[in-house]
Amino acid sequence: MYNKTYVLAGIIIFVALFTTPFWTGIMSGSYQRPAVQLPANEKECVEPVEYMRAEHMQLLNDWRDQALRNEARVYVSSTGKKWEISLQNTCLKCHNNTTEFCDKCHISNSVYPYCWTCHIEPKGKK
Amino acid sequence: MSTSLLVVLLIGVVAWLGASLGLASLFGVFLPYVAVIIFIAGVVWRMVYWSKSPVPFAIPTTGGQQASLEWIKQASLDNPSTKWGVVKRMFLEVFFFRSLFRNTYAEVREDGPRIVYFSSKWLWCFALLFHYCFLLVFIRHFRFFIDPVPACITFIEAVDGVLQIGAPRLYLTGVLLLTALLFLLGRRLFNERLRYLSLMNDYFPLLLIIALVLSGMSLRYFIKTDIASVKAFTMGLVTFQPVGAEVTKNIGSLFFVHLTYLSVLLMYFPFSKLMHAPGVFFSPTRNLPNNTRAVHHENPWNDRNAPFTTYAEYEDTFRDVMVEAGLPVEKQPDAGDKE
């Protein structure tokens, strides 16, 4: 091997960098999908739960456009139920503890919605 | 081009079918582990293999005045004569693709006809855009591999989504990355000279990365999947406790297509032209100082104890033959011998 010091240093840095997820993973131990606190006395969300998990941000975006651009404040879900289009008065009426619901899942996935700079989030009943 | 496209599409279809048919653990666990091992071992092997090639000559390419007399200004970045100068040159090369900035384009003009060279910065511009966006996208993905997510990653995400377009927020790097890739592909397709030169090993990596980016962007913006389950899945991989069907059933097949594209890229990487980053260590034209007039560059395979012959001895041995062939000699042969 020629240029040994530089090449070896390069190889060591490369291997160390590209295995970091495994080192940090082994150190942090096993990971569970965050257990969110579901509304106590409700059974169903606006849409089926699989849909909500994947698409709730898209739904909120559509709601926002519907309410503010089309003045349409009623949402008919895929099951035919009618909902008032409102972040605070619909979603957060049921999910009334954002810290234990939205935030818990978001922080774990490094999602920080900027909605709360204007909308008010309930921090759970005191 | 069409073969590469076919292969890339086939990989996607196979992964999609596999994941839909319940082979998620094959495409989601086995393949990624194999890919990571091949990638890391392949890169190390390639670097060790390359480092066995000696550099017999000092061959730095120069683009300016060499270090000379005091009153002659040296082009210290284009013709560095010290190690520190080389460091500066390499820094600009690695982080700003300085030599690509000099890219020129030649064209035959009809008036004459004459050939015209002009500077062409597009390739430099989009290559730089591609590499930096890819790097940021790569770093951003670590939110899936590290828990709790480090603040620096969150910060990059915040900057990347600063325009707050839609929900989920549109990431600028994703769009720029795709734009740059389409330019790099279009360049090969619409420039007839480049098209003539382009082979499968040019098209395949481009299309593979385009497919990777498209599948990733679809996962975020169009065909969404439960990200929380995806994180549970990826964390299972990095903690060596792969999750089972109870989690993978919540994850769409497109995610496994995305992961398969990544795995193929990782396996292909060490054996392809994408392996140009370690060239930093193995480019004597770039990483040697141009001090050939001050310092003796020894060919590393020279045997120091090899027997040597001086010119005088050489001439002594071959004088008669040399004279016969009409070659000039330093010492004339004895007159007696000649006649």
Side-chain angles (χ1 to χ4, degrees), chain A residues 84-103:
Chain A
E84 188 206 342
I85 289 191
S86 174
L87 174 59
Q88 280 162 246
N89 299 337
T90 307
C91 304
L92 303 183
K93 198 47 68 56
C94 288
H95 301 293
N96 55 16
N97 188 347
T98 47
T99 334
E100 283 300 309
F101 187 72
C102 314
D103 293 356

PDB file of all heavy atoms in Angstrom, chain A residues 84-103:
ATOM      1  N   GLU A  84     -67.398  19.499  10.763  1.00  0.00           N
ATOM      2  CA  GLU A  84     -67.083  20.915  10.604  1.00  0.00           C
ATOM      3  C   GLU A  84     -65.594  21.008  10.306  1.00  0.00           C
ATOM      4  O   GLU A  84     -64.786  20.370  10.982  1.00  0.00           O
ATOM      5  CB  GLU A  84     -67.418  21.690  11.889  1.00  0.00           C
ATOM      6  CG  GLU A  84     -67.282  23.180  11.717  1.00  0.00           C
ATOM      7  CD  GLU A  84     -66.992  23.902  13.033  1.00  0.00           C
ATOM      8  OE1 GLU A  84     -67.225  23.312  14.099  1.00  0.00           O
ATOM      9  OE2 GLU A  84     -66.519  25.047  12.975  1.00  0.00           O
ATOM     10  N   ILE A  85     -65.243  21.767   9.274  1.00  0.00           N
ATOM     11  CA  ILE A  85     -63.834  21.899   8.942  1.00  0.00           C
ATOM     12  C   ILE A  85     -63.193  22.871   9.918  1.00  0.00           C
ATOM     13  O   ILE A  85     -63.414  24.079   9.850  1.00  0.00           O
ATOM     14  CB  ILE A  85     -63.662  22.390   7.491  1.00  0.00           C
ATOM     15  CG1 ILE A  85     -64.050  21.260   6.534  1.00  0.00           C
ATOM     16  CG2 ILE A  85     -62.250  22.856   7.244  1.00  0.00           C
ATOM     17  CD1 ILE A  85     -63.697  21.494   5.104  1.00  0.00           C
ATOM     18  N   SER A  86     -62.448  22.356  10.850  1.00  0.00           N
ATOM     19  CA  SER A  86     -61.763  23.227  11.789  1.00  0.00           C
ATOM     20  C   SER A  86     -60.675  22.445  12.506  1.00  0.00           C
ATOM     21  O   SER A  86     -60.904  21.342  12.985  1.00  0.00           O
ATOM     22  CB  SER A  86     -62.743  23.784  12.809  1.00  0.00           C
ATOM     23  OG  SER A  86     -62.028  24.502  13.775  1.00  0.00           O
ATOM     24  N   LEU A  87     -59.501  23.022  12.546  1.00  0.00           N
ATOM     25  CA  LEU A  87     -58.393  22.366  13.228  1.00  0.00           C
ATOM     26  C   LEU A  87     -58.653  22.337  14.727  1.00  0.00           C
ATOM     27  O   LEU A  87     -58.555  21.302  15.379  1.00  0.00           O
ATOM     28  CB  LEU A  87     -57.094  23.118  12.919  1.00  0.00           C
ATOM     29  CG  LEU A  87     -55.830  22.674  13.640  1.00  0.00           C
ATOM     30  CD1 LEU A  87     -55.520  21.221  13.345  1.00  0.00           C
ATOM     31  CD2 LEU A  87     -54.651  23.546  13.218  1.00  0.00           C
ATOM     32  N   GLN A  88     -59.029  23.507  15.265  1.00  0.00           N
ATOM     33  CA  GLN A  88     -59.179  23.592  16.717  1.00  0.00           C
ATOM     34  C   GLN A  88     -60.500  23.011  17.213  1.00  0.00           C
ATOM     35  O   GLN A  88     -60.543  22.389  18.252  1.00  0.00           O
ATOM     36  CB  GLN A  88     -59.049  25.044  17.178  1.00  0.00           C
ATOM     37  CG  GLN A  88     -57.604  25.490  17.271  1.00  0.00           C
ATOM     38  CD  GLN A  88     -57.497  26.994  17.294  1.00  0.00           C
ATOM     39  OE1 GLN A  88     -56.972  27.601  16.385  1.00  0.00           O
ATOM     40  NE2 GLN A  88     -58.034  27.596  18.355  1.00  0.00           N
ATOM     41  N   ASN A  89     -61.571  23.232  16.437  1.00  0.00           N
ATOM     42  CA  ASN A  89     -62.880  22.814  16.944  1.00  0.00           C
ATOM     43  C   ASN A  89     -63.255  21.384  16.579  1.00  0.00           C
ATOM     44  O   ASN A  89     -64.200  20.846  17.121  1.00  0.00           O
ATOM     45  CB  ASN A  89     -63.972  23.760  16.447  1.00  0.00           C
ATOM     46  CG  ASN A  89     -63.728  25.170  16.942  1.00  0.00           C
ATOM     47  OD1 ASN A  89     -63.046  25.364  17.939  1.00  0.00           O
ATOM     48  ND2 ASN A  89     -64.266  26.146  16.234  1.00  0.00           N
ATOM     49  N   THR A  90     -62.546  20.782  15.628  1.00  0.00           N
ATOM     50  CA  THR A  90     -62.857  19.396  15.295  1.00  0.00           C
ATOM     51  C   THR A  90     -61.739  18.460  15.769  1.00  0.00           C
ATOM     52  O   THR A  90     -61.908  17.718  16.733  1.00  0.00           O
ATOM     53  CB  THR A  90     -63.104  19.240  13.786  1.00  0.00           C
ATOM     54  OG1 THR A  90     -64.082  20.191  13.395  1.00  0.00           O
ATOM     55  CG2 THR A  90     -63.597  17.857  13.463  1.00  0.00           C
ATOM     56  N   CYS A  91     -60.594  18.555  15.131  1.00  0.00           N
ATOM     57  CA  CYS A  91     -59.489  17.643  15.484  1.00  0.00           C
ATOM     58  C   CYS A  91     -59.198  17.725  16.972  1.00  0.00           C
ATOM     59  O   CYS A  91     -59.128  16.717  17.660  1.00  0.00           O
ATOM     60  CB  CYS A  91     -58.199  18.014  14.769  1.00  0.00           C
ATOM     61  SG  CYS A  91     -58.316  18.093  12.999  1.00  0.00           S
ATOM     62  N   LEU A  92     -59.015  18.956  17.442  1.00  0.00           N
ATOM     63  CA  LEU A  92     -58.495  19.100  18.793  1.00  0.00           C
ATOM     64  C   LEU A  92     -59.588  19.018  19.863  1.00  0.00           C
ATOM     65  O   LEU A  92     -59.282  19.001  21.046  1.00  0.00           O
ATOM     66  CB  LEU A  92     -57.704  20.414  18.915  1.00  0.00           C
ATOM     67  CG  LEU A  92     -56.557  20.521  17.900  1.00  0.00           C
ATOM     68  CD1 LEU A  92     -55.770  21.792  18.097  1.00  0.00           C
ATOM     69  CD2 LEU A  92     -55.635  19.323  17.976  1.00  0.00           C
ATOM     70  N   LYS A  93     -60.845  18.945  19.398  1.00  0.00           N
ATOM     71  CA  LYS A  93     -61.925  18.688  20.351  1.00  0.00           C
ATOM     72  C   LYS A  93     -61.792  17.256  20.859  1.00  0.00           C
ATOM     73  O   LYS A  93     -61.898  16.975  22.056  1.00  0.00           O
ATOM     74  CB  LYS A  93     -63.261  18.916  19.630  1.00  0.00           C
ATOM     75  CG  LYS A  93     -64.531  19.118  20.419  1.00  0.00           C
ATOM     76  CD  LYS A  93     -64.533  20.070  21.567  1.00  0.00           C
ATOM     77  CE  LYS A  93     -64.393  21.556  21.326  1.00  0.00           C
ATOM     78  NZ  LYS A  93     -65.354  22.155  20.443  1.00  0.00           N
ATOM     79  N   CYS A  94     -61.536  16.336  19.928  1.00  0.00           N
ATOM     80  CA  CYS A  94     -61.329  14.944  20.323  1.00  0.00           C
ATOM     81  C   CYS A  94     -59.906  14.729  20.833  1.00  0.00           C
ATOM     82  O   CYS A  94     -59.685  14.178  21.900  1.00  0.00           O
ATOM     83  CB  CYS A  94     -61.574  14.014  19.152  1.00  0.00           C
ATOM     84  SG  CYS A  94     -63.306  13.883  18.718  1.00  0.00           S
ATOM     85  N   HIS A  95     -58.959  15.166  20.036  1.00  0.00           N
ATOM     86  CA  HIS A  95     -57.549  14.989  20.435  1.00  0.00           C
ATOM     87  C   HIS A  95     -57.186  16.190  21.301  1.00  0.00           C
ATOM     88  O   HIS A  95     -56.464  17.089  20.868  1.00  0.00           O
ATOM     89  CB  HIS A  95     -56.658  14.918  19.202  1.00  0.00           C
ATOM     90  CG  HIS A  95     -57.020  13.798  18.286  1.00  0.00           C
ATOM     91  ND1 HIS A  95     -56.867  12.487  18.650  1.00  0.00           N
ATOM     92  CD2 HIS A  95     -57.550  13.781  17.037  1.00  0.00           C
ATOM     93  CE1 HIS A  95     -57.274  11.705  17.654  1.00  0.00           C
ATOM     94  NE2 HIS A  95     -57.698  12.463  16.672  1.00  0.00           N
ATOM     95  N   ASN A  96     -57.709  16.183  22.521  1.00  0.00           N
ATOM     96  CA  ASN A  96     -57.611  17.406  23.307  1.00  0.00           C
ATOM     97  C   ASN A  96     -56.321  17.500  24.124  1.00  0.00           C
ATOM     98  O   ASN A  96     -56.164  18.392  24.929  1.00  0.00           O
ATOM     99  CB  ASN A  96     -58.839  17.551  24.209  1.00  0.00           C
ATOM    100  CG  ASN A  96     -59.001  16.319  25.069  1.00  0.00           C
ATOM    101  OD1 ASN A  96     -58.072  15.532  25.202  1.00  0.00           O
ATOM    102  ND2 ASN A  96     -60.173  16.151  25.645  1.00  0.00           N
ATOM    103  N   ASN A  97     -55.402  16.579  23.899  1.00  0.00           N
ATOM    104  CA  ASN A  97     -54.121  16.687  24.574  1.00  0.00           C
ATOM    105  C   ASN A  97     -53.027  16.538  23.531  1.00  0.00           C
ATOM    106  O   ASN A  97     -52.567  15.444  23.236  1.00  0.00           O
ATOM    107  CB  ASN A  97     -54.010  15.596  25.639  1.00  0.00           C
ATOM    108  CG  ASN A  97     -52.785  15.770  26.500  1.00  0.00           C
ATOM    109  OD1 ASN A  97     -51.896  16.548  26.164  1.00  0.00           O
ATOM    110  ND2 ASN A  97     -52.735  15.052  27.606  1.00  0.00           N
ATOM    111  N   THR A  98     -52.643  17.654  22.934  1.00  0.00           N
ATOM    112  CA  THR A  98     -51.673  17.560  21.834  1.00  0.00           C
ATOM    113  C   THR A  98     -50.333  17.021  22.292  1.00  0.00           C
ATOM    114  O   THR A  98     -49.637  16.362  21.531  1.00  0.00           O
ATOM    115  CB  THR A  98     -51.464  18.926  21.155  1.00  0.00           C
ATOM    116  OG1 THR A  98     -51.265  19.897  22.161  1.00  0.00           O
ATOM    117  CG2 THR A  98     -52.648  19.296  20.291  1.00  0.00           C
ATOM    118  N   THR A  99     -49.942  17.312  23.531  1.00  0.00           N
ATOM    119  CA  THR A  99     -48.640  16.844  24.007  1.00  0.00           C
ATOM    120  C   THR A  99     -48.553  15.327  23.961  1.00  0.00           C
ATOM    121  O   THR A  99     -47.528  14.766  23.591  1.00  0.00           O
ATOM    122  CB  THR A  99     -48.405  17.293  25.466  1.00  0.00           C
ATOM    123  OG1 THR A  99     -49.161  18.462  25.693  1.00  0.00           O
ATOM    124  CG2 THR A  99     -46.949  17.554  25.718  1.00  0.00           C
ATOM    125  N   GLU A 100     -49.666  14.692  24.328  1.00  0.00           N
ATOM    126  CA  GLU A 100     -49.652  13.240  24.385  1.00  0.00           C
ATOM    127  C   GLU A 100     -50.092  12.601  23.076  1.00  0.00           C
ATOM    128  O   GLU A 100     -50.076  11.388  22.942  1.00  0.00           O
ATOM    129  CB  GLU A 100     -50.557  12.757  25.526  1.00  0.00           C
ATOM    130  CG  GLU A 100     -49.935  12.916  26.896  1.00  0.00           C
ATOM    131  CD  GLU A 100     -48.630  12.138  27.029  1.00  0.00           C
ATOM    132  OE1 GLU A 100     -48.630  10.936  26.702  1.00  0.00           O
ATOM    133  OE2 GLU A 100     -47.625  12.731  27.447  1.00  0.00           O
ATOM    134  N   PHE A 101     -50.569  13.409  22.142  1.00  0.00           N
ATOM    135  CA  PHE A 101     -51.013  12.830  20.872  1.00  0.00           C
ATOM    136  C   PHE A 101     -50.156  13.318  19.709  1.00  0.00           C
ATOM    137  O   PHE A 101     -49.183  12.660  19.336  1.00  0.00           O
ATOM    138  CB  PHE A 101     -52.502  13.134  20.647  1.00  0.00           C
ATOM    139  CG  PHE A 101     -53.065  12.443  19.449  1.00  0.00           C
ATOM    140  CD1 PHE A 101     -53.276  11.077  19.464  1.00  0.00           C
ATOM    141  CD2 PHE A 101     -53.348  13.152  18.289  1.00  0.00           C
ATOM    142  CE1 PHE A 101     -53.765  10.426  18.346  1.00  0.00           C
ATOM    143  CE2 PHE A 101     -53.851  12.499  17.168  1.00  0.00           C
ATOM    144  CZ  PHE A 101     -54.062  11.141  17.201  1.00  0.00           C
ATOM    145  N   CYS A 102     -50.462  14.480  19.174  1.00  0.00           N
ATOM    146  CA  CYS A 102     -49.718  14.981  18.016  1.00  0.00           C
ATOM    147  C   CYS A 102     -48.217  15.053  18.303  1.00  0.00           C
ATOM    148  O   CYS A 102     -47.400  14.485  17.586  1.00  0.00           O
ATOM    149  CB  CYS A 102     -50.196  16.367  17.622  1.00  0.00           C
ATOM    150  SG  CYS A 102     -51.967  16.589  17.559  1.00  0.00           S
ATOM    151  N   ASP A 103     -47.874  15.768  19.388  1.00  0.00           N
ATOM    152  CA  ASP A 103     -46.460  16.031  19.668  1.00  0.00           C
ATOM    153  C   ASP A 103     -45.681  14.749  19.877  1.00  0.00           C
ATOM    154  O   ASP A 103     -44.552  14.604  19.402  1.00  0.00           O
ATOM    155  CB  ASP A 103     -46.322  16.902  20.917  1.00  0.00           C
ATOM    156  CG  ASP A 103     -46.875  18.291  20.682  1.00  0.00           C
ATOM    157  OD1 ASP A 103     -47.286  18.551  19.537  1.00  0.00           O
ATOM    158  OD2 ASP A 103     -46.906  19.096  21.628  1.00  0.00           O
TER     159      ASP A 103
END
